[in-house]
Structure formats: C-alpha cells, structure tokens
C-alpha cells in the first residue's frame, strides 16, 4: 500500500509516498490515517501535507521502489474527517485550485507548520503561604495582578479567563519566576448544556412564520436554504436567536457569519444576553495561538455558538446544526486572493453536504440570491415591517444642482466648502436641537482624494499604481502628521510645499474625505464661536478604528444617546444599531450610478439602503436625505419611489437581456507581471490554446480596471457561458495548460470563478 499526500504546492495533483516504516525490514508498515498530517521530503524541502488516500502499489504509475518513505506521522487520529476532505475536494474542483493549497487555506498557521494539537488549558494559581507582604513596596502592578488571581481561590483560573479580566501574560510569568504563583494544565471540560439567559421577545406574524419554517427544516435534519429578506430594522437577529434555540438545546453547534470584524463584539453581546452558552469569536484580529485554540474548540465541540468572518466557514465542527450568514449580500464574503471563494455560496454547499439548514439574512439581497429564489433553490422568508414601533425611514432626494453649498470657517481662517446644501445643514441642526443623532455617510477616508496644482494641473499620483494619492491631514489635531498615501499599495510621501512640475505654491487638496468633512461640520456645530450649543463629531473609518478597543469606545459614545454627528464610511452601513440616529445624510449619491462597472448600480443601491437603515431604528421616526446632481436619474428614482426589491428586479431583467450574470456564469483570468507587454502576450498565448469549438463569450486580453498596481501591470480575460458545467469542463482541461505556457513563466496567473467585478 502507498499513501497519497496533498502538499501546499501550486501543482494540481497529489503525491504518493511509502509508509514511514517501509525503509526498515518490516513489510507490515502502519499506514497514517486519512486526514492526518505527515512530514515528507519534497525535492530539497521538507513539507507538511495531509493524507488524502491509501492506494494499492499496483495502481501507482511509478515503480514503488523509487518512491520516498514518509519521514514522520504527526497525528495518530485524523485531523480532518471525510466531510471536511470532501469539502476541500469540492472547493478545489469548483474554484480550480490545487487541493494541497485548499487544505492549507483551511488549516490555521500553527497546524500547517506541524505544531502539536494543544488539548490542555493552562491554569494559574497562587502558591500556598504566599501573601502580599512578599512583594517589594514598589511592585504595585505585580501586587494588583496577584490580588486579582488570589480572588479565584486555591485552584486559580484558566489563563483565558485571567487575560479577559485584564491580567497580562508577562506579569504572570514574572510572578512565576519570583516563586509566587505556578501554572498547571488541565483538560478542557465539556461545556454545560445551553440554557436561556433571557426570555425571547414577542414575534410579529412574519417573524413567526420565518422561525417556524427554519425550525421545521432543522427538525427534519435535511438541507434547506433560506433567504431571510427583511427590511433594515425588521428584527432579523431575533429570528436568528429563536431559530437557534432548539438547535442549541439539542446539543448542536450554530455558526453565525458576519462580514466585518467590527460587527463581532456587538453580535456576541446580543447572543450572550440571550443564551448561557460557550460563545467563540473568530476573526483576523486573533493571533496564531488563539486561532489554533478556536479551531480546536470548533472541532471538539467546546464552542456552542461560533461567530466569525468568512474563513470560519472552513473550520471543522463536531456537530454543526445550523449556519446563519448575516448581511449575506456583502462583498466582504468574497475572498479576493489565494482561494477566491464566495462564503455565502460555500455556506449553502456546506449545508447541503451536512444536511442542515442555512439562513442567508439581508435587507438587500444580491441579484444572484434573488435568482436562486426564482429558480426554487432558496426559500424566501420576507420581513416587510420594522420590529416594535419603529417605522421605515423616509427617503428624500435633495437637488444639489442650483442650490449653493454651505462654507465653514477653518482654524487657518480660510472658508471651506462642506459639500452640503443649506437645506441639509438646517436639517442636521434641527435634528441635533431635538436631542437626536445624525449620520453623514461618505465612502472616502482621509482628508481629500486628490492634491492638485492650480497653476499647471499637476496631481499627486502614486508612483507604483494608476491612482491618485489620498491627502491625510488634520487641522484640528496638529500633532498628527500630514502625508500622502496610496490606499492600494500603502505608498506614503510627504506633502510637497510647492508643485514639483512648475514650482507654484498654489497646491490644494481637492474633494472631500471623512476627515475634511468632519472638520467642516466641527466648524459649524462644535465651535463655541459659531454655535451656541456644541455637539461632538464622531469620525468612523479605518483610520479611527485601527487601535485596539477603538470600536468599543466609539460604540459606547454613540449609545450614550446624546446628540452627535457621526461621519463614517461603509463601516457604519453593516448591521449596526444606533437607536438615537434619526437623520442620515448621503452627500454624494451619484458616483455609483455613473460607474463603468455593470455591478455598480446594484452595489450602490445596497449601500444606500443599508445606510438609510441606520435611521429611525428606535421609537423615533427616521429621515434620509440623498443629495444628488442628477435627481432625474431613472435608477435612483426607482430606488427611492419603489424600494430596493423593485429596483433589483428591474436590474435582473436588464441583466437577462444583456446576457450578464447571474444569467451567465463568469470566469476571470488575471495576469500580472513587470511589463505590460509580457502580461498581454501570456494571455494571447492562453487564448490560442483555448479548446474549440466552445460556447463561450470571450473578452480580452484587455487591461485590468487598474492597469498598474504596486509596480506591476495587470491584464485580464473574461469568459462567459450560459452553461455552468460547460464552462467548468473547458477550464478543467485548459487552465493547467495555461499555467505551463513558456510565456507564463515568472508571471502571476490567477483564475477567479464568479468574480464580483471586472
């Protein structure tokens, strides 16, 4: 017998090895279990791979005497069971990605590196007869940490609990080195059965129907996909909670996917207030040890409710009973590098594989999800009314063509255009005076998107990308450095004092970013010289939420309910509950409807509706002001007058007429290299070997939307087919040949199935 091993190498095959003891005189070598890790020689390297099959030596095309033996077996039991291996095979087959690399994506870093699985939990306790008198008088921090540990009694507490309470690992180690405390290991105990910590809320008729249908699917132990299509504020989370209850009480696990790391703390708080359960958070902010421990908790069944971002879907579970994908339309669920999977789609496949229910919850379903409903592949559950006494926010268009915009007086004495009309400013003022909060949405971080010379027209461009450098500057916080930054490759530069081309000092930031808008609103509403009552301006973007716990601090300020203006990017559009926000302002709603990307109107409408959904979520009515210089735009009028669903169905009809997804299936081949000529030549050579005849529509080779990025040139080919199996059949025989082309050497070629943009 031989062992087939999947290795993390970019080759579309597995590799056969002899059993580890085959090199000795024994002929009865034990075979490592399928799904376990093994250490093998690969060329001059030593790699960690996953055993995927045992085969007869007679089936091997190579003489077994020429094969290498496995160096070391790292696991006595399978690390991945058969369903997980089948999931990996499906991902490799559907996304045309090497099986070994798929498995590498599915495993945490430490497990890929061959580290042993740590099934024991470190505990700390105070040594007998040790008191605070044993500390030096100046060791105040050590005394404080010691006192916190002593509160846990003679058995102490686990390191995870102590760290959550604010203790620090270096101090624990120092106390141990000083002979004051000690650590010991214990097996993690099985979690207690899940119980209700708080009674469920009353459901309206629509919510009741949704919960009953999900319960029925769970009781039948069969796969069923649901689209929970509920307007913003309609109580989708309460439906999730009540749908989960019988699953958890039956001893099964529930996986809840969220699109952004910023949503995980508030989601955990909501779920923890309802259930006395072991809730696990998984996201990119965890270190490698925490990821490995979380992976183990899922696999061993210690985690009862798992809340995580898209990669959590690829974790193993002991007894998964329900998958919930919140904000299922969100683009964050599409992985944009390595294995380019769509998490919402993979969630449906995993539910089908395990025979469990999958709930896709959203207020703005994607066109692909709506077509799945039309095709009978998803069951739609509609929530058309907001929960409680909340009413749907009223959308109003503000014609900004002829109305002058307001100016603010900046600290340097110069007037600055706010980009907001007088009517909009007055509406903000009235809302604040009523004791309520305002959200101003602008999807551009930084101070300004362009630095421009007024004398010669020079613009500050990124030397490595086809993009302008964003101006980062703050007049209110002079201690913060001012600089130019590319948001694509992170290139940074100083802001020049004079134009590099003509020497003119007439260089100014042009356009509006969140920082500049915050300063303009600060000058009007937070300056005691211009306003009798001052109101805080809270900026919410990637720059202000970068620090640890910054999200929690912002949430705390907002949820105090005091009147304030929130200025945010799309981070504020996703599922946040701000009960005192009654006015939402969108100063620049036209950009998305004018883009060359055919998906842009769909994504823009989703963003508008999601942002609008932050208004009026409490007992007070909400209002949304959409500033536009194209108030007659038919798409915008359709969205405002008839709502998102009518808008989406109109787009679906247009896509069908034009032969675009979801009525056709797409594959995007990208090529990047040091020169534009080489990338285009490689794609031309690829098209030359494309199997013919075929029923594909082919576009390319053409330059990518961003032709130059990070000093590399990008080109692409788009393949469209009305028949999905035919497209995958073509790719199956063609893609590996493309990678072997001589002209593709030293270039990066990638294949993106179901791309979200081209």
């Amino acid at each position: 017998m031989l062992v087939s091993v999947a290795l993390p190498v970019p080759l579309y095959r597995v590799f056969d090895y002899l059993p580890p003891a085959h090199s000795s005189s024994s002929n009865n070598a034990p075979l490592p279990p399928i799904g376990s890790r093994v250490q093998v020689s690969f060329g001059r390297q030593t790699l960690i791979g996953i055993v995927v099959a045992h085969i007869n030596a007679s089936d091997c095309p190579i003489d077994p005497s020429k094969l290498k033996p496995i160096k070391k077996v790292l696991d006595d039991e399978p690390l991945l069971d058969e369903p997980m291996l089948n999931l990996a095979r499906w991902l490799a087959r559907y996304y045309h990605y090497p099986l070994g690399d798929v498995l590498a994506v599915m495993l945490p870093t430490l497990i890929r590196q061959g580290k042993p699985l740590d099934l024991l939990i470190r505990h700390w306790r105070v040594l007998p007869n040790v008191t605070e008198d044993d500390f030096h008088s100046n060791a105040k921090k050590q005394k404080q940490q010691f006192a916190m540990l002593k509160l846990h009694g003679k058995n102490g507490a686990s390191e995870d609990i102590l760290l959550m309470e604010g203790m620090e690992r270096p101090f624990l180690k120092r106390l141990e080195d000083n002979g004051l405390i000690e650590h010991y290991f214990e097996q993690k105990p099985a979690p207690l059965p899940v119980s209700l910590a708080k009674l469920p809320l009353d459901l309206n008729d629509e919510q009741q129907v949704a919960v009953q249908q999900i319960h029925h699917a769970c009781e039948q132990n069969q796969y069923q996909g649901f689209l929970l299509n509920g307007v913003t504020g309609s109580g989708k989370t309460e439906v999730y909670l009540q749908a989960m209850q019988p699953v958890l009480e039956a001893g099964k696990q529930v996986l809840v996917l969220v699109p952004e790391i910023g949503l995980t703390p508030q989601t955990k708080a909501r779920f923890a207030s309802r259930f006395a359960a072991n809730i696990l958070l998984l996201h990119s902010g965890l270190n490698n040890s925490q990821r490995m421990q979380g992976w183990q908790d899922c696999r061993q069944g210690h985690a009862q409710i798992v809340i995580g971002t898209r990669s959590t879907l690829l974790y193993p579970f002991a007894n998964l009973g329900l998958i919930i994908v919140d904000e299922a339309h969100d683009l964050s669920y599409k992985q944009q590098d390595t294995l380019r999977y769509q998490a919402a789609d993979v969630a449906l496949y995993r539910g089908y594989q395990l025979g469990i229910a999958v709930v896709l919850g959203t207020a703005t379903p994607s066109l692909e999800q709506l077509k799945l409903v039309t095709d009978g592949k998803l069951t739609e559950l509609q929530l058309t009314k907001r929960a409680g006494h909340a009413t749907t926010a009223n959308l109003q268009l503000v014609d900004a063509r002829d109305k002058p915009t307001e100016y603010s007086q900046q600290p340097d004495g110069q007037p600055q255009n706010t980009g907001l009309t007088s009517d909009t400013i007055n509406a903000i003022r009235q809302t604040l005076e009523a004791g309520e909060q305002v959200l101003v949405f602008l999807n551009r971080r930084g101070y300004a998107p362009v630095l421009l010379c007024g004398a010669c027209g020079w613009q500050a461009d990124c030397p490595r990308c086809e993009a302008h450098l964003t101006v980062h500057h703050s007049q209110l916080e002079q201690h913060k450095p001012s600089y130019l930054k590319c948001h694509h490759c992170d290139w940074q530069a100083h802001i020049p004092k004079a134009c590099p081309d003509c020497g003119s000092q007439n260089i100014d930031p042009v356009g509006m970013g969140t920082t500049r808008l915050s300063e303009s609103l600060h000058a009007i509403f937070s300056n005691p010289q211009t306003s009798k009552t001052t109101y805080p301006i809270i900026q919410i973007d990637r720059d202000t939420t970068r620090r640890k716990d910054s999200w929690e601090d912002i949430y705390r300020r907002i949820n105090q309910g005091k009147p304030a203006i929130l200025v945010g990017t799309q981070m504020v559009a996703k599922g946040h509950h701000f009960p005192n926000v009654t006015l939402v302002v969108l100063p620049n709603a036209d950009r998305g409807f004018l883009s060359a990307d055919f998906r842009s109107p769909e994504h823009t409408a989703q963003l508008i509706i999601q942002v609008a959904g932050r208004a009026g979520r409490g007992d007070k009515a909400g209002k949304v002001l959409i500033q536009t210089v194209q108030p007659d735009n038919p798409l915008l009028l359709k969205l405002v007058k008839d709502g998102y669903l009518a808008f989406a169905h109109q787009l679906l009809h247009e896509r069908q007429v034009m032969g675009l997804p979801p009525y056709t299936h797409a594959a995007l081949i990208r090529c990047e290299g040091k020169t534009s000529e080489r990338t285009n030549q490689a794609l031309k050579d690829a098209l030359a070997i494309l199997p013919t005849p075929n029923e594909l529509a082919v576009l390319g080779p053409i330059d990518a939307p961003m032709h130059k990025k990070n000093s590399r040139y990008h080109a692409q080919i788009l393949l469209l087919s009305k028949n999905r199996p035919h497209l995958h059949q073509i790719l199956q025989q063609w893609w590996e040949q493309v990678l072997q082309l001589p002209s593709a050497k030293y270039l990066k070629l990638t294949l993106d199935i179901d791309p979200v943009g081209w």
Side-chain angles (χ1 to χ4, degrees):
M1 296 294 290
L2 301 177
V3 180
S4 291
V5 180
L7 296 173
V9 293
L11 297 172
Y12 288 76
R13 51 164 295 193
V14 295
F15 300 88
D16 297 330
Y17 286 86
L18 300 172
H22 197 279
S23 55
S24 68
S25 58
S26 171
N27 291 322
N28 298 316
L31 294 175
I34 294 175
S36 64
R37 293 173 299 170
V38 292
Q39 190 180 83
V40 299
S41 295
F42 186 79
R44 297 181 180 179
Q45 308 174 72
T46 297
L47 299 179
I48 306 294
I50 301 292
V51 177
V52 293
H54 299 152
I55 64 170
N56 290 315
S58 57
D59 297 332
C60 181
I62 302 173
D63 182 358
S65 63
K66 297 182 179 179
L67 297 178
K68 299 177 182 178
I70 289 172
K71 279 189 170 183
K72 187 177 180 181
V73 179
L74 302 180
D75 304 304
D76 296 329
E77 297 180 354
L79 198 68
L80 299 173
D81 58 16
E82 194 59 30
M84 287 300 293
L85 290 176
N86 287 337
L87 174 65
R89 293 184 184 104
W90 179 81
L91 288 167
R93 189 168 59 250
Y94 185 80
Y95 291 103
H96 299 274
Y97 203 67
L99 178 60
D101 283 343
V102 169
L103 290 166
V105 170
M106 295 172 66
L107 296 173
T109 301
L110 295 181
I111 294 179
R112 292 201 307 267
Q113 293 173 351
K115 297 291 191 291
L117 297 181
D118 186 7
L119 301 177
L120 301 176
I121 302 301
R122 186 192 298 266
H123 290 252
W124 294 90
R125 63 188 172 196
V126 176
L127 286 170
N129 303 322
V130 174
T131 66
E132 293 185 9
D133 296 334
D134 296 309
F135 288 88
H136 192 275
S137 59
N138 294 328
K140 295 181 180 179
K141 184 75 172 179
Q142 291 188 37
K143 277 186 178 182
Q144 180 188 9
Q145 302 269 302
F146 177 82
M148 290 172 63
L149 178 56
K150 199 169 183 181
L151 291 174
H152 289 280
K154 64 178 182 179
N155 291 326
S158 71
E159 185 170 290
D160 289 343
I161 291 176
L162 295 174
L163 294 177
M164 283 193 296
E165 291 178 350
M167 298 191 73
E168 299 174 22
R169 193 176 280 111
F171 278 98
L172 291 171
K173 189 73 175 72
R174 194 173 304 165
L175 291 172
E176 183 182 40
D177 293 341
N178 292 338
L180 303 171
I181 67 174
E182 66 177 358
H183 75 267
Y184 64 99
F185 291 96
E186 277 191 355
Q187 191 80 25
K188 180 173 282 193
L192 296 173
V194 175
S195 60
L196 278 177
K198 183 179 177 182
L199 289 176
L201 303 178
D202 292 332
L203 301 177
N204 61 34
D205 294 342
E206 293 177 331
Q207 290 174 311
Q208 191 68 49
V209 169
V211 170
Q212 287 174 352
Q213 291 211 39
I214 299 170
H215 280 177
H216 179 71
C218 293
E219 289 168 0
Q220 299 297 314
N221 292 320
Q222 63 182 17
Y223 163 72
Q224 189 167 355
F226 295 97
L227 176 64
L228 184 60
N229 184 0
V231 298
T232 52
S234 60
K236 290 187 289 294
T237 305
E238 184 63 29
V239 172
Y240 301 155
L241 290 167
Q242 297 200 25
M244 291 163 55
Q245 185 178 336
V247 177
L248 294 169
E249 290 173 346
K252 297 181 179 180
Q253 298 166 289
V254 174
L255 170 61
V256 182
L257 293 184
V258 293
E260 290 282 349
I261 187 175
L263 291 177
T264 46
Q266 73 167 37
T267 308
K268 181 180 180 180
R270 182 78 183 272
F271 283 55
S273 67
R274 176 64 56 86
F275 297 111
N278 188 1
I279 301 177
L280 175 66
L281 284 186
L282 293 171
H283 50 73
S284 59
L286 303 179
N287 61 37
N288 287 338
S289 296
Q290 291 169 325
R291 284 172 177 273
M292 181 172 173
Q293 189 61 57
W295 191 87
Q296 276 289 83
D297 285 345
C298 292
R299 178 172 171 263
Q300 298 292 329
H302 294 296
Q304 295 162 313
I305 301 174
V306 182
I307 303 169
T309 47
R310 62 175 176 257
S311 60
T312 312
L313 184 64
L314 306 181
Y315 277 41
F317 291 87
N319 191 12
L320 189 59
L322 177 65
I323 300 175
I324 295 169
V325 184
D326 194 28
E327 307 292 345
H329 67 280
D330 199 278
L331 295 180
S332 300
Y333 285 123
K334 174 67 174 178
Q335 174 73 26
Q336 297 291 357
D337 54 17
T338 62
L339 174 63
R340 291 169 167 77
Y341 64 95
Q342 218 299 340
D345 294 342
V346 177
L348 293 174
Y349 178 81
R350 189 149 195 203
Y352 169 77
Q353 179 192 34
L354 298 176
I356 62 175
V358 180
V359 181
L360 307 183
T362 175
T364 53
S366 69
L367 300 192
E368 285 78 8
Q369 290 159 359
L370 289 175
K371 187 173 185 299
L372 288 176
V373 171
T374 304
D375 294 343
K377 296 178 180 178
L378 283 180
T379 301
E380 186 175 24
L381 305 172
Q382 286 201 350
L383 304 178
T384 59
K385 297 176 287 189
R386 281 195 155 185
H389 301 291
T391 56
T392 304
N394 181 27
L395 274 64
Q396 298 178 17
L397 294 181
V398 177
D399 188 348
R401 289 176 298 184
D402 301 323
K403 296 180 181 178
T405 53
E406 288 276 324
Y407 280 76
S408 62
Q409 196 74 17
Q410 295 304 299
D412 59 5
Q414 297 296 318
Q416 181 166 282
N417 190 345
T418 64
L420 302 172
T421 67
S422 301
D423 291 344
T424 303
I425 293 291
N426 290 334
I428 293 175
R429 182 174 285 111
Q430 292 170 10
T431 304
L432 295 172
E433 290 173 351
E436 298 161 3
Q437 295 173 337
V438 179
L439 169 60
V440 183
F441 174 79
L442 183 66
N443 205 21
R444 274 181 175 163
R445 35 189 287 244
Y447 185 79
V450 181
L451 186 67
L452 180 70
C453 174
C456 71
W458 169 86
Q459 298 177 5
D461 292 331
C462 176
R464 304 194 298 192
C465 304
E466 279 189 342
H468 300 309
L469 293 172
T470 299
V471 182
H472 284 262
H473 168 67
S474 176
Q475 297 192 59
L476 298 177
E477 300 178 74
Q478 296 295 336
H479 64 279
K480 284 191 174 181
S482 298
Y483 57 94
L484 299 170
K485 183 176 181 179
C486 175
H487 288 169
H488 300 282
C489 72
D490 289 334
W491 170 275
Q492 290 191 24
H494 294 292
I495 298 178
K497 295 182 179 179
C499 174
D501 282 1
C502 69
S504 170
Q505 296 187 356
N506 186 22
I507 52 173
D508 295 301
V510 177
M512 186 74 68
T514 48
T515 303
R516 191 173 197 173
L517 179 57
S518 297
E519 290 183 0
S520 297
L521 292 171
H522 183 278
I524 298 174
F525 295 104
S526 298
N527 189 344
Q529 298 177 348
T530 58
S531 179
K532 294 180 181 178
T533 306
T534 58
Y535 303 98
I537 312 295
I538 303 174
Q539 184 177 333
I540 310 170
D541 56 28
R542 194 175 299 174
D543 298 318
T544 60
T545 58
R546 198 182 303 276
R547 298 188 316 275
K548 185 180 180 181
D549 298 330
S550 54
W551 250 120
E552 287 76 3
D553 294 339
I554 289 173
Y555 259 103
R556 189 164 49 250
R557 291 179 63 191
I558 295 172
N559 288 329
Q560 289 174 353
K562 296 178 181 179
I565 300 176
L566 322 180
V567 179
T569 59
Q570 62 181 350
M571 294 180 70
V572 299
K574 301 173 181 179
H576 301 291
H577 181 67
F578 305 136
N580 203 34
V581 170
T582 58
L583 176 64
V584 167
V585 177
L586 293 94
N588 189 358
D590 299 312
R591 285 178 58 207
F593 291 111
L594 303 176
S595 171
D597 182 2
F598 79 95
R599 292 186 189 271
S600 187
E602 175 193 359
H603 297 156
T604 302
Q606 288 171 337
L607 203 51
I608 289 174
I609 297 300
Q610 291 289 337
V611 175
R614 302 314 108 203
R617 295 176 70 92
D619 295 331
K620 302 171 185 176
K623 183 168 68 171
V624 181
L625 300 181
I626 303 174
Q627 261 189 207
T628 174
V629 294
Q630 286 192 329
D632 300 326
N633 186 314
L635 286 175
L636 186 57
L637 287 173
K638 183 74 174 177
L639 179 67
V640 171
K641 290 181 178 179
D642 300 331
Y644 176 78
L645 278 182
F647 171 90
H649 282 293
Q650 178 177 313
L651 285 185
L652 264 178
H653 176 70
E654 292 176 2
R655 297 267 188 94
Q656 186 175 19
V657 172
M658 297 172 67
L660 291 171
Y663 292 93
T664 55
H665 308 283
L668 185 66
I669 293 88
R670 293 188 179 97
C671 182
E672 63 173 272
K674 293 184 177 180
T675 66
S676 181
E677 293 75 15
R678 285 202 60 196
T679 56
N680 278 283
Q681 186 58 51
L683 292 181
K684 289 176 182 177
D685 293 345
L687 280 185
I689 62 170
L690 184 68
T692 55
N694 58 62
E695 299 174 2
L696 304 178
V698 181
L699 176 64
I702 58 173
D703 291 342
M706 180 171 286
H707 181 43
K708 184 183 178 185
K709 182 177 179 181
N710 205 9
S711 299
R712 292 177 69 84
Y713 293 88
H714 297 248
Q716 63 188 39
I717 295 172
L718 177 67
L719 304 180
L720 291 173
S721 174
K722 292 185 177 181
N723 187 307
R724 192 197 301 267
H726 175 69
L727 173 63
H728 283 274
Q729 184 180 359
I730 294 288
L731 292 172
Q732 187 72 37
Q733 55 179 312
W734 176 66
W735 178 238
E736 291 185 48
Q737 298 175 18
V738 171
L739 296 176
Q740 301 303 319
L741 286 170
S743 57
K745 198 172 184 180
Y746 305 120
L747 299 178
K748 183 179 179 181
L749 279 157
T750 58
L751 173 60
D752 190 355
I753 302 296
D754 304 327
V756 295
W758 57 70

